[in-house]
Amino acid sequence: MLRGALQLKHIKAPNKRQKLLFFFSSLQLFALPLVYPEKVVFCMEKSMNSTTLARTKSEQLVIETQAAATQTSKSPTMQNEDAPITSESMGTLSRKSSQRMVVGASPGRSSGGNKNNSHIRKARSAQVKLDVEELSNGAALSRASSASLGLSFSFTGFTVPPDEITDSKPFSDDDIPEDIEAGTCKPKFQTEPTLPIYLKFSDVTYKVITEGMTTSEERDILNGITGAVSPGEVLALMGPSGSGKTTLLNLLGGRLIQSTVGGSVTYNDQPYSKFLKSKIGFVTQDDVLFPHLTVKETLTYTARLRLSKALSRQQKEKRAIDVIYELGLERCQDTMIGGSFVRGVSGGERKRVCIGNEIIINPSLLFLDEPTSGLDSTTALRTVQTLQNIAEAGKTVITTIHQPSSRLFHKFDKLVLLGKGSSLYFGRASEAMAYFSSIGCSPLIAMNPAEFLLDLANGNINDISVPSELEDKVQMGNSETETRNEKPPPAVVHEYLVEAYESRVAENEKKKLMTPLPLDDEIKLKVFSSKREWGASWWQQYCILFCRGIKERRHDYFSWLRITQVLSTAIILGLLWWQSDSKSTRGRQDQAGLLFFIAVFWGFFPVFTAIFTFPQERAMLSKERAADMYRLSAYFLARTTSDLPLDLILPVLFLLVVYFMAGLRLSAGRFFLSMLTVFLCIIAAQGLGLAIGATLMDLKRATTLASVTVMTFMLAGGYFVKKVPVFISWIRYMSFNYHIYKLLLKVQYQDITPPVNGIKTDNGLWEVGALVAMIFGYRVLAYLSLRRMQLHRGA
């Protein structure tokens, strides 16, 4: 205490009021041994055995306690006086108990200016921030700030159990500075029981067959990769571009066609089954998200689709909120995700949303494809720390990494180093440098371990010692294998590294993989279950996807550009056909041209809108279907019906302008029948666009085919050509423009003779039946095309 009082002498002399406050606070501190004598004795005994660093921290905290007590004299009572303060309990926090401890200091005096109060404005004292949520339930004593003394302190009082007072290192490399954009991250990931899954892969191979004009060629992507990872570990797949990292990750995640896969991949010593889809989270390299949904909406829809049926809607939504706070996304939860043309959350927040989409189901296995790509070093470090926290919750984490920093590299538990599809190293990440040094490859200068390993994988041995075996090959080789600086070529380095791994590491690792896991047969059989589990019923999936579709696309349909396009066209038509005469034959001929343009416009517009539907959502559809989020039929029906309410609003505005400006026959029945006819045209044309887009799944080819088809239907619509040759007359019956044009004429001139353009004015049931057949026929073709695409991808 005396030492603490002496260290405060540099502060300017306080006034009488400050002296009085300091006197009463000192009395409180000196009274602590009288109230809690056993605690003080315990702290003295522990302090004798602690390290110098711990004693320094303890004395610093006693000083801070004394200054904090000065402020507490302003309030008559202390919070929770039952929680004693011990110097050892504050000075020796374990790394697992304290996720973050940040200590900063600045002097408490100033030079120059107003000598009476400048030290109050500029002084900033040491602040100690202790996150002790996992410790015993000791309550906070106070949050004291003494502006009159020019000091500010903030600390939390607690009691540490004796078994946890073991770590004399209150600071470590894991105390990462808080990511500003991450908010207050509290890594309390789902601790409910999860199925432990031990992943093993041995001699994994993968080939791609490329077919040419006359011959086909096989290309080896992976050559005998071996490894294993257990719950609670983070396995990193590292290697240069094109080394096979993503292919291996997709293969381990069950996302590749098994016919071209060789070797053995087991989950708890069992092969892959569809049941594992509900236990696997897979974060792709590209952030596949809907840009117009907020962070909260994105995670809520995922929770409602993927979580078990046994949970209620409120429980699922609560899980989504919990994940938001676990990942530090609470500050941006009401912000749109954003995209290329929509401003939204930052890159690090987008990546955390993608991770949240997968960890929301509490997966046993979590796969991530380059989660740090495109992120700055601080955000990347926070992302990897999040993965480490997920693994510590009992989950198995496998991630690809391209070029991590040295701090990121030391976060990984195990490492698989790939080069040209071959394994160059597998083992503990912390032992990688020692292994390569044992085979004669060590850095000649100080460098990042990841950079050193990537140079080796690329065959680049600049600034790297050359093993004696490679030097002998250079000296004995011919001129084709020599280089100007007498360094072995990359191919020779790669061959040497593969041989060294096969002779020193591979056989031992394969023997370890042969050892059966110490798991119960019941746990092993759970993995082998072939029953597919859906998180919601078919109707629930349809309703959720319907609501999601409307929220996502309402911004596109009600954009000012589209509204301006439709209304400006309607106004131009109304001005050109302003109050046309429907009683004369010539006036009816003019109105027939207007009706045909309406049929063409509302046949052309929906086709080219619907073409983009499935090609643009292909990545999202493949991702969600691979995770078994919903049935394809529920998605297709929700996707096609959610567009209808939005598609039918603009035609109403269009007809309200054109119908009355052009002077068409003023009758409520005729007006609503004309509107119903336009609705049939829109739905039929939309079906054609969906079928073309789903069949080709390529925007260039789809737009080309659609433009030719729509032009053909327009020419055969019955307005330009009255008499069509017999051998090609069947085209007009496939044209929805032809049937819509006839229906509009019958609605306007059913009781007028002679008929306009020779079209019979009957009840129009034939035309309605043809349009209904097109509506369902085109959509069935689109659904079958999507089903074929899913089967081809093996989903």
Side-chain angles (χ1 to χ4, degrees):
M1 295 298 177
L2 294 177
R3 184 183 299 178
L6 291 175
Q7 290 183 2
L8 295 175
K9 65 180 182 181
H10 67 281
I11 302 176
K12 189 165 184 166
N15 54 30
K16 292 183 179 180
R17 179 174 175 272
Q18 294 171 348
K19 290 179 180 179
L20 184 61
L21 294 177
F22 187 82
F23 173 77
F24 281 109
S25 62
S26 301
L27 286 181
Q28 291 183 358
L29 290 177
F30 285 109
L32 284 176
L34 300 178
V35 180
Y36 301 105
E38 68 278 4
K39 298 294 182 181
V40 176
V41 173
F42 173 75
C43 294
M44 294 175 64
E45 292 175 353
K46 294 298 293 183
S47 298
M48 295 297 294
N49 299 326
S50 61
T51 61
T52 303
L53 177 60
R55 290 197 299 270
T56 303
K57 296 300 176 182
S58 300
E59 294 165 0
Q60 180 183 356
L61 287 170
V62 170
I63 296 171
E64 294 171 354
T65 305
Q66 183 177 359
T70 304
Q71 181 65 19
T72 60
S73 61
K74 295 181 181 180
S75 22
T77 60
M78 294 179 68
Q79 300 177 2
N80 197 350
E81 294 181 357
D82 294 334
I85 303 176
T86 63
S87 62
E88 186 69 15
S89 64
M90 286 188 177
T92 58
L93 287 176
S94 64
R95 187 170 66 91
K96 296 296 182 183
S97 300
S98 177
Q99 294 291 337
R100 295 179 302 274
M101 179 182 293
V102 181
V103 177
S106 62
R109 68 173 72 184
S110 62
S111 58
N114 190 342
K115 296 182 179 180
N116 294 328
N117 58 6
S118 61
H119 68 280
I120 298 177
R121 294 195 305 268
K122 294 187 177 181
R124 287 290 184 269
S125 69
Q127 294 187 354
V128 180
K129 181 181 180 182
L130 303 176
D131 189 354
V132 290
E133 297 176 353
E134 300 176 5
L135 298 177
S136 61
N137 295 325
L141 289 177
S142 63
R143 287 192 175 274
S145 64
S146 178
S148 60
L149 293 179
L151 298 172
S152 175
F153 297 92
S154 176
F155 68 93
T156 303
F158 53 88
T159 302
V160 182
D163 57 341
E164 290 198 27
I165 310 178
T166 57
D167 190 359
S168 61
K169 292 177 61 179
F171 300 96
S172 67
D173 291 339
D174 292 335
D175 299 328
I176 305 170
E178 188 70 29
D179 185 5
I180 295 177
E181 71 173 6
T184 304
C185 183
K186 297 182 179 180
K188 293 169 57 180
F189 292 90
Q190 290 92 350
T191 56
E192 64 266 20
T194 183
L195 178 65
I197 294 182
Y198 294 79
L199 175 61
K200 296 180 180 180
F201 48 99
S202 178
D203 289 329
V204 172
T205 61
Y206 182 72
K207 298 181 179 180
V208 174
I209 300 176
T210 56
E211 296 183 358
M213 296 294 294
T214 56
T215 60
S216 60
E217 180 182 358
E218 287 188 355
R219 181 186 174 189
D220 293 330
I221 305 298
L222 297 175
N223 300 310
I225 310 299
T226 299
V229 59
S230 304
E233 294 179 339
V234 179
L235 171 65
L237 308 179
M238 198 170 72
S241 299
S243 60
K245 303 187 300 294
T246 301
T247 302
L248 179 59
L249 191 75
N250 291 331
L251 190 149
L252 298 179
R255 300 201 170 197
L256 288 181
I257 302 174
Q258 297 295 321
S259 60
T260 56
V261 176
S264 171
V265 180
T266 60
Y267 310 81
N268 288 352
D269 291 338
Q270 300 295 327
Y272 179 83
S273 65
K274 291 183 178 180
F275 168 79
L276 284 171
K277 285 189 175 183
S278 61
K279 298 297 180 183
I280 290 179
F282 200 103
V283 181
T284 58
Q285 182 176 354
D286 299 325
D287 300 331
V288 184
L289 298 168
F290 286 112
H292 292 103
L293 295 181
T294 64
V295 172
K296 185 177 180 180
E297 288 172 345
T298 300
L299 294 176
T300 300
Y301 284 127
T302 302
R304 293 176 62 187
L305 285 169
R306 299 190 69 178
L307 292 180
S308 173
K309 296 180 182 178
L311 299 178
S312 64
R313 176 174 177 176
Q314 291 74 18
Q315 290 174 323
K316 293 182 178 181
E317 291 177 352
K318 183 180 181 300
R319 174 70 66 83
I321 298 298
D322 292 341
V323 170
I324 288 175
Y325 279 89
E326 288 169 2
L327 295 175
L329 296 169
E330 64 274 11
R331 194 181 64 175
C332 62
Q333 59 179 327
D334 296 321
T335 305
M336 285 196 303
I337 298 295
S340 302
F341 305 100
V342 182
R343 187 174 182 179
V345 298
S346 65
E349 290 167 341
R350 285 173 61 90
K351 186 61 67 176
R352 289 200 294 273
V353 173
C354 293
I355 296 176
N357 271 335
E358 303 303 324
I359 68 172
I360 201 168
I361 62 171
N362 191 27
S364 300
L365 276 170
L366 181 62
F367 295 91
L368 304 100
D369 190 5
E370 298 194 14
T372 60
S373 296
L375 304 181
D376 59 86
S377 58
T378 302
T379 307
L381 189 61
R382 173 61 58 189
T383 302
V384 174
Q385 181 64 48
T386 301
L387 300 183
Q388 196 175 42
N389 295 331
I390 294 172
E392 289 177 357
K395 298 168 178 59
T396 306
V397 179
I398 302 97
T399 178
T400 62
I401 201 77
H402 184 62
Q403 192 172 1
S405 64
S406 57
R407 298 186 68 184
L408 260 66
F409 179 81
H410 291 296
K411 294 290 182 183
F412 302 126
D413 297 300
K414 290 185 177 180
L415 173 69
V416 172
L417 181 63
L418 299 176
K420 297 181 181 179
S422 300
S423 184
L424 305 181
Y425 174 77
F426 168 69
R428 308 296 300 181
S430 58
E431 300 173 358
M433 297 295 291
Y435 163 75
F436 284 103
S437 296
S438 67
I439 63 174
C441 298
S442 57
L444 299 178
I445 59 174
M447 65 173 62
N448 180 356
E451 183 180 356
F452 165 73
L453 296 177
L454 288 175
D455 282 345
L456 281 180
N458 279 313
N460 178 17
I461 56 174
N462 294 327
D463 301 323
I464 298 176
S465 62
V466 179
S468 57
E469 293 85 346
L470 286 180
E471 290 180 350
D472 295 339
K473 288 185 178 181
V474 171
Q475 294 176 359
M476 298 175 60
N478 53 32
S479 59
E480 295 180 355
T481 61
E482 291 182 356
T483 56
R484 294 180 180 178
N485 57 357
E486 297 184 355
K487 293 284 186 179
V492 176
V493 175
H494 175 76
E495 182 182 354
Y496 171 75
L497 295 176
V498 172
E499 291 177 355
Y501 171 78
E502 291 292 339
S503 60
R504 294 171 180 258
V505 180
E507 293 300 325
N508 294 332
E509 294 298 333
K510 291 178 183 178
K511 291 179 181 179
K512 293 179 182 179
L513 295 180
M514 298 298 294
T515 305
L517 294 173
L519 295 176
D520 297 336
D521 293 336
E522 182 180 357
I523 297 179
K524 293 182 179 181
L525 292 178
K526 283 184 179 179
V527 177
F528 191 66
S529 174
S530 59
K531 184 179 179 181
R532 178 178 292 185
E533 295 182 358
W534 298 102
S537 63
W538 189 95
W539 177 250
Q540 290 174 336
Q541 292 176 1
Y542 169 79
C543 294
I544 295 170
L545 294 172
F546 182 87
C547 296
R548 188 181 75 173
I550 288 181
K551 283 189 176 182
E552 166 60 23
R553 288 181 293 281
R554 63 186 175 182
H555 302 277
D556 294 334
Y557 280 92
F558 297 117
S559 64
W560 285 108
L561 183 63
R562 180 168 296 197
I563 294 174
T564 303
Q565 179 185 12
V566 172
L567 290 182
S568 60
T569 303
I571 292 173
I572 292 173
L573 290 176
L575 293 175
L576 290 175
W577 275 270
W578 177 261
Q579 297 298 320
S580 58
D581 185 13
S582 60
K583 297 180 181 179
S584 63
T585 303
R586 186 168 182 176
R588 289 194 293 271
Q589 290 290 340
D590 291 341
Q591 287 185 353
L594 173 63
L595 296 177
F596 181 76
F597 180 84
I598 292 175
V600 171
F601 180 77
W602 289 110
F604 175 89
F605 198 70
V607 167
F608 286 91
T609 302
I611 276 178
F612 297 89
T613 299
F614 295 123
Q616 286 183 343
E617 292 190 7
R618 180 174 185 173
M620 179 66 72
L621 178 62
S622 299
K623 168 193 166 184
E624 294 180 339
R625 282 283 294 158
D628 271 358
M629 286 184 63
Y630 45 73
R631 298 173 177 86
L632 182 62
S633 56
Y635 164 79
F636 179 81
L637 193 61
R639 184 63 181 85
T640 54
T641 55
S642 62
D643 288 338
L644 295 181
L646 303 175
D647 281 334
L648 301 182
I649 293 177
L650 291 180
V652 173
L653 299 177
F654 179 88
L655 280 180
L656 285 174
V657 174
V658 172
Y659 198 92
F660 297 103
M661 288 184 66
L664 297 177
R665 302 186 67 179
L666 299 178
S667 171
R670 299 181 190 280
F671 175 77
F672 286 109
L673 284 176
S674 298
M675 188 170 294
L676 180 61
T677 303
V678 173
F679 287 171
L680 287 175
C681 177
I682 292 172
I683 300 173
Q686 187 185 63
L688 175 62
L690 293 174
I692 294 176
T695 302
L696 298 180
M697 279 295 178
D698 181 81
L699 289 179
K700 289 185 178 180
R701 292 188 296 170
T703 52
T704 302
L705 178 61
S707 61
V708 173
T709 303
V710 170
M711 183 183 63
T712 303
F713 286 176
M714 179 186 66
L715 294 176
Y719 182 79
F720 296 107
V721 180
K722 305 296 187 300
K723 185 177 181 181
V724 180
V726 178
F727 63 88
I728 204 174
S729 61
W730 55 271
I731 292 181
R732 64 169 46 187
Y733 298 105
M734 297 179 61
S735 169
F736 48 79
N737 296 126
Y738 175 72
H739 299 293
I740 293 298
Y741 177 54
K742 290 178 65 176
L743 276 178
L744 289 174
L745 288 177
K746 291 178 180 180
V747 168
Q748 290 292 322
Y749 315 119
Q750 186 175 7
D751 54 350
I752 296 179
T753 55
V756 179
N757 290 340
I759 296 177
K760 298 179 181 179
T761 56
D762 52 11
N763 53 19
L765 291 178
W766 166 255
E767 287 78 11
V768 173
L771 289 173
V772 171
M774 292 180 186
I775 290 172
F776 288 99
Y778 288 142
R779 282 168 170 77
V780 169
L781 177 61
Y783 176 76
L784 295 177
S785 299
L786 287 181
R787 177 65 65 182
R788 178 186 58 82
M789 182 195 74
Q790 293 297 314
L791 291 175
H792 178 69
R793 292 177 62 88

